[in-house]
Structure formats: structure tokens, C-alpha cells
């Protein structure tokens, strides 16, 4: 009788111990993961960072990082380089059904702020350090990435006043990054993004890419339309000594990369621009009048636009913009015809791919 009672106690004791152990491990898991993440961030050379909290969802196969930030150790500004308020990292179940184990990331309100005084002093090689560290936080390959309400900014704090060029309300989607959906296309992944720029401009980006290659292939176009030019006065005044009383700023670009060879263009357009503010001093007014004189000569008077088209091409280790075509395009816009306020659609990925292959054969 006593043996039977002891057996029953042992029979119940074992599962109780196992359940209790699992519960304790589940309670400790967020702290273990948080310690791991903070150790990864603290080991990045030249940077410091940490996370506020971590939630674990075993059922979803996910963990959520709250309040991740990263900054330079020698930064004079307390503005974090990376500030990710909420990052949800989980297994992509749809891909799992296709026999692929990959992850998807959902980011809510991430901020990437490039402080010029800090980042311009750094060795660009440590870009690999922090980007690799962030990917180490994801245990399996990323297939899908989604961002809502993001912010990307360029800030120069030593300028007077401070320069702050930014994109707000960024919505970004990158799909099929690990080619889970098998396709015969050279560029199987898709990227789309929208946002609102300084001055209320509409930003759009779309394209295709293949990031599995060491140097990713891509075919991307983006545009910025109807931004208030006067909103960029801190930038233009600091670097060119001019400011706009009114005007409309637009930017269009196409970029294709094939086998490490890049070709594209950047096309800025100013429309209905007016310089010289009423409160400017004599020297400022004189300089702006001088710039305005050349703007009058170089602009297309029928369309009232000032524009140029900057070609960019070459090896990715030595990308350069061509000076003379830029100057020619300025005069072309002024005296022949205005550039249209659209993406030109004259950068073809297949042509860039052929040029890249020809350059390899000629080496």
C-alpha cells in the first residue's frame, strides 16, 4: 500500500517538476534574451546601445524588442543614430509551409538619424560592424521586412540654425528577400516605400532586387515631388548662401546595379522658385541676386523650371558623377527643352547587365 502511494507521488512529481521548470524558464527567457541582445550591442566597436524590454511569444515563434537604440561612443549629441521603438521578429509560417525556415520583421516607428558631425568622422568600415550585429539579433534569415511610421533624417547640429533634412511617415515593404517563392526572375525580391519629406513633399520608391548576391543586383526608381523649397533654407543657406522665398522642389532618380556595375541618374527640378527674402541684409541680397541672375539665364522660361540631370555610373568601389554632362544638361534644360516632372524610365537593368558582362570580358 505504501509502495503504491509512493509510486503515485513519484508519478505526479515528475510532470510537476517538468512543468514548474518550463514555467521558470519561460519567466526567465525574456531576461536571458535581453541580456544576449544588450551584449551584442555593447560589443559593437565604436558604438554603445541597449534595449528597454523584450517580450517572448512561444506560440508565434517570435520575440518583440522594445526601445532599441544605438549611438557612437564619441558622439557629442545625445540623438541616437538608431532608435527602434518596437521590432517584432518572428518565424514566417507561410514560408514554413513551403519548406523554408525564414523570419519576418515588423518595425513600428523606427528612426535612423545621421548626425553629420559624428558620422563624417567615422571609418566607414565599421558600417559592417553594426549592420552585422543587428542581423545577429535575428536567429534565421530575413525574408520579409515591413516598416510603418518610420523616420530617416540627416542632421547637422553645428550649423546655425541646425540643419534637419528628413523623411517622415515612412512605410516600407521588402518581400521574398530569401527567394522563398521560387522565381526564374533575375530580380526576385520586391521593394516599395512611401513617405513625407521636409516641406511636405511626396516620396515614392519602388523596384526589384536580389540581395543574396555579395553585391546585390537591383533596379530601383524613386521620386520626391511638390516639396516646399523654402523648407530647405537652412541647408541651402548654409552651403550656398541662398534661401528661397517660395518655390517647388522635385527630385527623380533611377538606379540599376548588375554584377557590381552601377548606372543611373539623379534629376533635381526647381519650379516657380523665388529668391531674396525681405529681411535679408545687403550682402545676402547681393549674393542671392547674383545667383538669381544665373537662375534666370539657365532656367526654362516657358515651364519656369531650373533643372539638371546628374549621370552616375561605374564600379561600386569607385562610383562617380560626371561633371561635364551635368553642366551640359543645365544648359540643355535652359535653352532646348524642360525636363518633364516624371521618372524618365531610361535606365534598363538588362542593358546594365550587358555592360557589366562586357567589362568583365574586356578585363
Amino acid at each position: 500500500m505504501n509502495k503504491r502511494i509512493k509510486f503515485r507521488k513519484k508519478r505526479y512529481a515528475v510532470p510537476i517538476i517538468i512543468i514548474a521548470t518550463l514555467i521558470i524558464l519561460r519567466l526567465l527567457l525574456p531576461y536571458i534574451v535581453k541580456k544576449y541582445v544588450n551584449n551584442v550591442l555593447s560589443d559593437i566597436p565604436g558604438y554603445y546601445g541597449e534595449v528597454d524590454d523584450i517580450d517572448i511569444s512561444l506560440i508565434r515563434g517570435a520575440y518583440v524588442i522594445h526601445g532599441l537604440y544605438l549611438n557612437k561612443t564619441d558622439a557629442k549629441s545625445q540623438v541616437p543614430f538608431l532608435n527602434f521603438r518596437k521590432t517584432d521578429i518572428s518565424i514566417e509560417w507561410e514560408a514554413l509551409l513551403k519548406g523554408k525556415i525564414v523570419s519576418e520583421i515588423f518595425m513600428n516607428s523606427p528612426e535612423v538619424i545621421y548626425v553629420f558631425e559624428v558620422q563624417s568622422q567615422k571609418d566607414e568600415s565599421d558600417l559592417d560592424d553594426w549592420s552585422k550585429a543587428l542581423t545577429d539579433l535575428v536567429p534565421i534569415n530575413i525574408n520579409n521586412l515591413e516598416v510603418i511610421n518610420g523616420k530617416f533624417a540627416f542632421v547637422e547640429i553645428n550649423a546655425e540654425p541646425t540643419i534637419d533634412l528628413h523623411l517622415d511617415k515612412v512605410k516600407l515593404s521588402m518581400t521574398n528577400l530569401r527567394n522563398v517563392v521560387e522565381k526564374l526572375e533575375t530580380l526576385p525580391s520586391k521593394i516599395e516605400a512611401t513617405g513625407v519629406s521636409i516641406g511636405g513633399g511626396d516620396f515614392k520608391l519602388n523596384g526589384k532586387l536580389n540581395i543574396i548576391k555579395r553585391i546585390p543586383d537591383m533596379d530601383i526608381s524613386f521620386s520626391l515631388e511638390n516639396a516646399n523649397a523654402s523648407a530647405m533654407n537652412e541647408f541651402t543657406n548654409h552651403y550656398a548662401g541662398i534661401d528661397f522665398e517660395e518655390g517647388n522642389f522635385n527630385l527623380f532618380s533611377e538606379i540599376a546595379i548588375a554584377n557590381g556595375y552601377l548606372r543611373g541618374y539623379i534629376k533635381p527640378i526647381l519650379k516657380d522658385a523665388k529668391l531674396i527674402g525681405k529681411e535679408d541684409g545687403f550682402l545676402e541680397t547681393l549674393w542671392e541676386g547674383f545667383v538669381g541672375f544665373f537662375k534666370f539665364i539657365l532656367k526654362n522660361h516657358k515651364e519656369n523650371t531650373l533643372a539638371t540631370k546628374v549621370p552616375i555610373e561605374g564600379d561600386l568601389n569607385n562610383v562617380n558623377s560626371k561633371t561635364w554632362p551635368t553642366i551640359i544638361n543645365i544648359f540643355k534644360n535652359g535653352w532646348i527643352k524642360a525636363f518633364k516632372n516624371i521618372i524618365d524610365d531610361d535606365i534598363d537593368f538588362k542593358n546594365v547587365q550587358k555592360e557589366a558582362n562586357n567589362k568583365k570580358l574586356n578585363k
Side-chain angles (χ1 to χ4, degrees):
M1 186 72 175
N2 290 332
K3 289 183 178 180
R4 189 176 297 176
I5 292 173
K6 288 180 180 179
F7 177 76
R8 287 179 179 176
K9 286 182 178 179
K10 287 182 179 179
R11 187 176 65 179
Y12 291 119
V14 173
I16 289 173
I17 292 172
I18 294 174
I19 292 172
T21 303
L22 291 174
I23 291 173
I24 292 171
L25 287 175
R26 173 62 184 83
L27 293 173
L28 291 176
L29 193 56
Y31 301 99
I32 295 172
V33 176
K34 180 179 178 180
K35 182 176 177 59
Y36 166 74
V37 172
N38 282 331
N39 286 340
V40 170
L41 295 177
S42 65
D43 288 341
I44 305 174
Y47 289 87
Y48 69 93
E50 65 177 15
V51 298
D52 291 337
D53 194 18
I54 286 182
D55 293 332
I56 304 291
S57 175
L58 293 178
I59 296 176
R60 288 198 304 123
Y63 73 104
V64 181
I65 301 176
H66 297 276
L68 182 154
Y69 77 86
L70 188 71
N71 206 3
K72 288 282 289 183
T73 53
D74 58 353
K76 297 179 181 179
S77 167
Q78 294 302 310
V79 179
F81 172 44
L82 303 179
N83 183 17
F84 298 162
R85 296 183 185 178
K86 183 179 179 181
T87 305
D88 188 305
I89 303 169
S90 63
I91 293 174
E92 187 185 0
W93 292 102
E94 186 177 342
L96 196 60
L97 296 175
K98 294 181 173 68
K100 298 291 183 71
I101 302 177
V102 291
S103 66
E104 55 186 355
I105 297 181
F106 176 82
M107 306 183 75
N108 193 332
S109 303
E111 295 182 353
V112 179
I113 302 178
Y114 186 102
V115 179
F116 179 78
E117 289 85 352
V118 174
Q119 301 298 333
S120 63
Q121 297 170 4
K122 78 181 185 74
D123 181 357
E124 292 296 333
S125 64
D126 67 3
L127 171 67
D128 293 334
D129 294 327
W130 67 260
S131 59
K132 182 181 182 301
L134 292 183
T135 55
D136 285 344
L137 299 181
V138 185
I140 50 181
N141 287 330
I142 303 166
N143 190 52
N144 291 332
L145 171 66
E146 185 176 352
V147 172
I148 63 167
N149 198 33
K151 178 178 181 179
F152 299 89
F154 168 92
V155 178
E156 190 165 354
I157 56 178
N158 287 345
E160 185 60 43
T162 297
I163 295 172
D164 182 3
L165 303 177
H166 57 263
L167 279 176
D168 281 327
K169 300 179 181 178
V170 174
K171 184 176 180 181
L172 181 144
S173 174
M174 299 176 69
T175 58
N176 199 37
L177 298 177
R178 308 309 301 185
N179 300 353
V180 169
V181 180
E182 300 292 348
K183 293 183 177 180
L184 298 176
E185 298 178 26
T186 308
L187 303 173
S189 308
K190 189 176 181 181
I191 179 172
E192 293 181 341
T194 60
V196 179
S197 78
I198 181 174
D202 295 320
F203 173 81
K204 292 181 182 179
L205 179 148
N206 63 76
K208 295 181 178 181
L209 61 161
N210 182 358
I211 67 165
I212 292 181
K213 299 183 65 174
R214 187 181 67 84
I215 300 177
D217 286 344
M218 62 182 68
D219 187 9
I220 291 174
S221 64
F222 67 86
S223 63
L224 174 64
E225 299 184 76
N226 302 318
N228 189 336
S230 64
M232 295 182 289
N233 280 345
E234 287 81 4
F235 178 81
T236 57
N237 200 298
H238 182 76
Y239 284 100
I242 62 173
D243 51 48
F244 296 93
E245 186 173 326
E246 59 186 46
N248 186 282
F249 178 74
N250 304 269
L251 183 69
F252 302 90
S253 179
E254 290 180 88
I255 294 174
I257 301 174
N259 298 324
Y261 181 74
L262 179 149
R263 187 175 182 182
Y265 68 84
I266 298 175
K267 184 175 69 171
I269 299 176
L270 269 172
K271 189 171 184 179
D272 300 325
K274 184 178 180 182
L275 299 173
I276 307 176
K278 295 181 180 179
E279 299 178 359
D280 287 346
F282 173 73
L283 292 177
E284 289 175 317
T285 303
L286 186 65
W287 169 242
E288 289 175 342
F290 175 76
V291 174
F293 169 74
F294 281 97
K295 184 174 82 74
F296 176 80
I297 293 176
L298 299 176
K299 79 175 184 179
N300 181 282
H301 294 280
K302 183 178 179 181
E303 300 291 338
N304 198 22
T305 61
L306 175 67
T308 188
K309 188 174 182 178
V310 185
I312 303 175
E313 65 177 302
D315 188 276
L316 281 180
N317 295 315
N318 187 29
V319 176
N320 59 82
S321 58
K322 295 184 177 180
T323 304
W324 284 110
T326 303
I327 296 173
I328 292 171
N329 278 322
I330 290 175
F331 284 93
K332 180 180 177 182
N333 179 71
W335 298 103
I336 303 175
K337 66 177 182 178
F339 288 116
K340 297 178 181 179
N341 283 27
I342 55 171
I343 292 171
D344 291 343
D345 197 25
D346 57 8
I347 299 298
D348 186 89
F349 176 81
K350 292 182 179 179
N351 289 338
V352 177
Q353 196 173 35
K354 288 179 181 177
E355 290 182 45
N357 293 334
N358 290 336
K359 288 182 178 292
K360 281 188 175 182
L361 292 174
N362 294 330
K363 282 185 178 181

